[in-house]
Amino acid sequence: MDLLTSTLRETPAHTLFAEFGVLIIVAFYSLYAILHLIAPKPRPVLPSEKTYITTTPDGVVTRQLPCWHDRWLADRHASEARSKNDDPTKTDIADTGSIEPAEVRMSVVFPAYNEEDRILPTLKEAVEYLDATFGRDPHPHRNKFPPTPPHSASSRRHVQNAPREDLSGYEIIVVNDGSKDRTVEVTLDFAREHGLHDILRVVTLEKNRGKGGSVTHGLRHVRGEYALFADADGASRFSDLGKLVEGCEEVVDGSHRGVAIGSRGHLVGSEAVVKRSALRNFLMRSFHLVLMILTPPATSRIRDTQCGFKLFSRAALPHIVPYMHAEGWIFDIEMLMLAESAPAVPVLGHDGAVIGSSPGIKVAEVPIDWHEVGGSKLNVIQDSIKMAIGLAVLRASWMMGVYRRRLT
């Protein structure tokens, strides 16, 4: 220690500053290199994963899966090529978040891994609600939707990409994440019994990707004006989807980008939470503290980031889904961070004139009914540690430019 002190005293100040600067630069690039090695990278999609299985009156068929993401990706690559060539005559299409028009009113994505024992009640509840609310015909002869109430967001200002009021119908996409049980057979039997031909679609991933990878894959292929992902265990009451649609409509911006998430934050202290083990409640609070420290302001204020019941307007999807990296439990937080950091869009007045700008995509946190369901695949201790580490890596990767909102 004395030798170190004397050395520091004898070394000129400018040399110390230079050495300190070099140390900081080396540490920065070392961390950058480490993040490149350990940061999650989604695996490429296999050809078979771009098809789906559905029922017909005559049996089961395999068809090509529609994919808005592929067209968006092609536009985005073209726009980046144009920017490199400095061609001022062509506009940048994909950076505006363009997406194909919706074909149905609601898309529902269920990620499923070995869910043969739990998925049937969930599908039954979902179909009952979706049939009653949206019907199965995308273009009914008469409008089944009530007129937009005068207090809604769309009546206060002009909104681009507003949902078509004459569009109805729904689709359900079950993403089979490499299940080893009869999840696919059980789902197709349900579709056959309820006549959900080409409405309920099963997409099978050849290798397990994790819940985040399954949800992201499903969202790349939705055709709905709104897209919901929900857990296959039925822990959330499906009829609360109506609340999420209302919440999303309240926060949409000038391009109709909005997100609404189900929240169990109001259940803290309730019987459903108190019945959990003390360890699980402690880890839940600890993770929320880490979340508040590591995430940007809007995301850090969300009380429940992990509830598996989240709704996106169609216009919000191109600003979130193409940039997803996390495929494990931490993917919900990356979605919310991407929404918060989405590029600004113009705010339009009643006459369509630009009156300002709106940065980021607003998120509505909506209280929903929820109950514990047995058979969870979450390992409380192991997965909590993985989530904390994953969150730190995720945040550092975005802050240091390992992850970026560009493709090349």
Side-chain angles (χ1 to χ4, degrees), residues 24-87:
I24 293 296
I25 293 172
V26 169
F28 176 85
Y29 281 103
S30 298
L31 178 58
Y32 186 80
I34 291 171
L35 286 173
H36 263 289
L37 293 174
I38 66 174
K41 297 176 181 64
R43 71 164 173 83
V45 177
L46 302 174
S48 66
E49 297 171 347
K50 291 193 173 185
T51 62
Y52 70 93
I53 306 171
T54 191
T55 58
T56 68
D58 300 322
V60 176
V61 296
T62 300
R63 293 173 177 164
Q64 193 68 25
L65 194 61
C67 186
W68 66 263
H69 179 266
D70 282 354
R71 180 172 294 183
W72 180 93
L73 194 62
D75 287 346
R76 182 63 186 265
H77 280 305
S79 94
E80 290 192 353
R82 287 195 298 272
S83 65
K84 287 181 180 178
N85 295 330
D86 295 323
D87 186 349

Side-chain angles (χ1 to χ4, degrees), residues 11-195:
T11 305
H14 65 276
T15 302
L16 288 176
F17 280 118
E19 291 176 349
F20 181 73
V22 170
L23 182 64
I24 293 296
I25 293 172
V26 169
F28 176 85
Y29 281 103
S30 298
L31 178 58
Y32 186 80
I34 291 171
L35 286 173
H36 263 289
L37 293 174
I38 66 174
K41 297 176 181 64
R43 71 164 173 83
V45 177
L46 302 174
S48 66
E49 297 171 347
K50 291 193 173 185
T51 62
Y52 70 93
I53 306 171
T54 191
T55 58
T56 68
D58 300 322
V60 176
V61 296
T62 300
R63 293 173 177 164
Q64 193 68 25
L65 194 61
C67 186
W68 66 263
H69 179 266
D70 282 354
R71 180 172 294 183
W72 180 93
L73 194 62
D75 287 346
R76 182 63 186 265
H77 280 305
S79 94
E80 290 192 353
R82 287 195 298 272
S83 65
K84 287 181 180 178
N85 295 330
D86 295 323
D87 186 349
T89 64
K90 296 182 178 179
T91 58
D92 190 339
I93 299 173
D95 286 342
T96 63
S98 60
I99 187 171
E100 297 172 3
E103 297 179 26
V104 294
R105 187 72 164 184
M106 181 64 64
S107 294
V108 179
V109 175
F110 287 116
Y113 177 67
N114 294 340
E115 294 288 357
E116 67 170 321
D117 295 328
R118 304 196 298 177
I119 197 170
L120 281 181
T122 304
L123 290 175
K124 186 174 184 296
E125 182 185 4
V127 169
E128 287 178 356
Y129 176 81
L130 294 168
D131 277 345
T133 307
F134 303 108
R136 298 186 182 184
D137 183 2
H139 304 285
H141 296 296
R142 61 187 181 87
N143 186 12
K144 295 183 180 180
F145 298 97
T148 304
H151 63 275
S152 72
S154 59
S155 67
R156 293 196 299 266
R157 59 180 185 273
H158 184 82
V159 178
Q160 294 177 322
N161 305 319
R164 291 168 45 192
E165 291 299 321
D166 63 337
L167 190 63
S168 187
Y170 67 91
E171 66 175 348
I172 297 175
I173 300 175
V174 175
V175 183
N176 169 38
D177 193 17
S179 298
K180 307 297 183 184
D181 64 358
R182 298 184 66 254
T183 297
V184 173
E185 291 81 358
V186 166
T187 302
L188 291 175
D189 286 345
F190 176 87
R192 189 179 298 107
E193 292 170 7
H194 292 80

